[in-house]
Amino acid sequence: MAIRIVGGGLAGCEAAWQAASRGVPVTLYEMRPVRPTAVHKTDRLAELVCSNSFRGDKLDNAVGLLKEEMRRLDSLVMRAAEASRVPAGAALAVDRERFADIITQTLSSHPLVTIVRQEIASIPASSEREPVIVATGPLTSEALSADLARIVGAEHLYFYDAISPIVLAESIDRSKVFRQSRWDRSLRAGVRLKPDTTEDTTTERSDGMRRPADADSGRPAEADSGSVRLQPDPLSCGIDDGEGDYLNCPLTRDEYEAFYKALTSAESATVHDFDKERFFEGCLPIEVMAHRGADTLRFGPMKPVGLTDPRTGREPYAAVQLRQDNLAGDHFSLVGFQTQIKWGEQARVLRLIPGLESAEFVRFGMVHRNTYVNGPTVLAETWQVRARPTLFFAGQMSGVEGYVESAASGLLAGINAAALAQGRAVSAPPRTTAIGALAYYASHANPAHYEPSNITFGIIQALDPSTMPGGGPAPRGKKLRNIALSERALRDLAVWQARPEGRALHLSAVGDGL
Ligand SMILES: Cc1cc2nc3c(=O)[nH]c(=O)nc-3n(C[C@H](O)[C@H](O)[C@H](O)COP(=O)(O)OP(=O)(O)OC[C@H]3O[C@@H](n4cnc5c(N)ncnc54)[C@H](O)[C@@H]3O)c2cc1C
């Protein structure tokens, strides 16, 4: 009985701790410092590669709930974060060196953990008594990436995130934009999306990150919206008349030229080694397209064909399309606008687009290396690979986003790998908990549009008024509703923790049943 874990980042370390705490010997393979990555700077385990923030720490905030659940599951990452906490208002931020030191020392001195500094180039053999967890992160080494592609299928493994900016719906100037589908072809056959907090029948989301820009970390911060379901709604977005799937920002020739000039002179973000690699033609940054010629964008993401500006009755000179990005309808993404321009510059340049002069950015555009699998195709909610249940994926490469989410997936993978090794049943907390909802999202979202996700209340099962203490109704108001969701999550987590831990299900149940 033993577990091998590849990758000593947040997910791998948490998984190692959970398994070793349950009495299972662990070998943890970490390739640094033998083989560095493009962004890690030290040889420490659980190095935070960028921000030192674990984001919000209150229960009216989904990542706050996720952290509280992790604390209750005795998370090493949470212990180390508390012990290295620095002042950061309502957020949990850490002294990154102290944080990584605590984790490195705790695991190095654990009698059941052996740390091997070695690059693993192919996925190790696994069995019921000796399961393997792969948690090699967004910068998984090339050799292992190639082996992963062999195991999950190259079409289910992604290497880049090409992310378009997202703006808050309420910050779009509706007097300047018009709603229409190109050639009046609707993508959704007349069905509109409307928030509904009474029941969660949603099994898919297209939004990866619902977070307004966070000045502290420089990365997007979280702003949850309520749980939602699909239902017909002719008035989904403020004053919109419900016709057409896109909001279109029309540009005159002068406006286009001013935008083009600003775009081609804007400063790009720092390029890491991996960014020098060739871009896929299908996800070229807009500034790269713009440098190919003054009109390239007008034949690409800014093409006006098939659109008629109702104010002029004519096709605009150019147009930017905004697509609803979350079911709640409060976020819109700029279609085809992936970009590497510095975030401050992005705001300046994109606000030249008519209708976006006062846009508030939920997320800025990015193109960066990010190795991850198509979770819903590959994984079960226990973080086991469906086609090979003695193998687990965890962390960012399993298709979640963010430090806390990566550690949370490692936590559950560690618990389940230990269960498997000890001949006990694997399981996942219910979808009413943040940790269960994240696992469910990563294994059940729509595979056709899968994007790594942060935890948000939107993916946690909505409140059922009939189960509210005292018989309901569900509280009105986002903050109260979120707190009620958190209280229910912590109650349900306690029930899951107290579950009888029976014999392991026959492994084929995982492979076949999901
Ligand atoms: C440039 C960049 C900036 C980011 N900034 C943030 C941020 O500010 N906030 C945030 O929440 N998230 C951020 N992320 C996402 C972040 O990477 C994850 O949230 C988190 O680090 C993922 O944890 P992990 O354990 O999955 O991967 P990691 O923490 O990256 O750990 C994976 C480990 O596996 C090792 N490894 C890789 N391949 C092999 C191999 N073949 N053999 C052995 N070991 C191997 C690596 O050396 C690494 O130590 C950023 C990602 C990138 C790429």
Side-chain angles (χ1 to χ4, degrees), residues 124-188:
S126 56
S127 67
E128 276 190 46
R129 285 308 166 103
E130 299 202 342
V132 165
I133 300 176
V134 177
T136 41
L139 307 169
T140 297
S141 71
E142 268 180 38
L144 191 65
S145 297
D147 199 47
L148 271 171
R150 186 183 60 76
I151 286 188
V152 304
E155 69 280 20
H156 302 312
L157 186 66
Y158 306 104
F159 296 102
Y160 288 89
D161 257 354
I163 302 174
S164 294
I166 294 178
V167 295
L168 262 188
E170 65 192 29
S171 69
I172 301 167
D173 182 346
R174 301 302 175 100
S175 68
K176 297 195 175 163
V177 304
F178 60 95
R179 187 178 263 286
Q180 191 186 29
S181 295
R182 205 181 290 283
W183 309 114
D184 287 326
R185 277 197 295 246
S186 173
L187 297 176
R188 285 173 286 171

Side-chain angles (χ1 to χ4, degrees), residues 30-36 42-43 117:
E30 169 51 54
M31 68 176 183
R32 290 175 293 119
V34 183
R35 181 177 281 275
T42 74
D43 64 356
R117 301 287 184 160

Side-chain angles (χ1 to χ4, degrees), residues 224-475:
D224 294 314
S225 45
S227 297
V228 288
R229 68 172 179 174
L230 288 173
Q231 65 171 40
D233 172 23
L235 295 173
S236 66
C237 295
I239 60 164
D240 296 327
D241 60 5
E243 295 299 320
D245 287 316
Y246 293 87
L247 293 181
N248 300 283
C249 308
L251 287 88
T252 62
R253 183 180 195 131
D254 286 349
E255 287 164 343
Y256 178 79
E257 284 173 0
F259 173 76
Y260 178 80
K261 200 169 157 203
L263 178 64
T264 47
S265 58
E267 198 182 343
S268 277
T270 317
V271 217
H272 291 293
D273 294 352
F274 48 73
D275 292 323
K276 291 189 190 128
E277 292 176 34
R278 193 170 60 83
F279 292 116
F280 297 116
E281 280 296 312
C283 62
L284 283 180
I286 49 166
E287 63 276 17
V288 174
M289 275 187 257
H291 280 293
R292 291 182 174 180
D295 277 333
T296 308
L297 288 172
R298 290 209 312 123
F299 290 94
M302 294 181 78
K303 66 174 181 271
V305 290
L307 297 173
T308 307
D309 184 343
R311 289 172 309 177
T312 63
R314 290 201 311 271
E315 187 179 286
Y317 185 75
V320 176
Q321 290 204 294
L322 309 178
R323 183 173 48 218
Q324 187 172 326
D325 193 74
N326 61 356
L327 293 173
D330 49 10
H331 296 170
F332 277 76
S333 60
L334 281 71
V335 179
F337 260 56
Q338 52 273 3
T339 171
Q340 293 207 117
I341 294 174
K342 278 192 169 172
W343 290 359
E345 288 278 89
Q346 269 187 56
R348 182 179 65 80
V349 173
L350 297 176
R351 286 187 182 131
L352 294 174
I353 297 169
L356 301 188
E357 294 86 347
S358 305
E360 281 179 49
F361 290 87
V362 175
R363 175 180 87 184
F364 287 107
M366 281 180 262
V367 180
H368 67 87
R369 172 88 184 270
N370 187 11
T371 307
Y372 66 93
V373 297
N374 185 310
T377 309
V378 173
L379 292 171
E381 66 208 79
T382 48
W383 301 101
Q384 284 164 289
V385 174
R386 292 180 195 198
R388 186 172 148 189
T390 53
L391 176 64
F392 294 71
F393 291 161
Q396 190 103 352
M397 60 78 61
S398 69
V400 296
E401 167 68 33
Y403 297 151
V404 186
E405 290 82 351
S406 294
S409 70
L411 185 152
L412 190 53
I415 291 177
N416 278 327
L420 205 57
Q422 293 171 328
R424 290 182 291 104
V426 294
S427 84
R431 288 169 59 202
T432 51
T433 64
I435 201 164
L438 188 67
Y440 189 85
Y441 174 81
S443 54
H444 287 77
N446 183 349
H449 307 290
Y450 191 68
E451 279 186 37
S453 177
N454 286 116
I455 185 67
T456 74
F457 281 115
I459 64 171
I460 296 177
Q461 201 163 359
L463 287 172
D464 176 355
S466 67
T467 61
M468 294 294 296

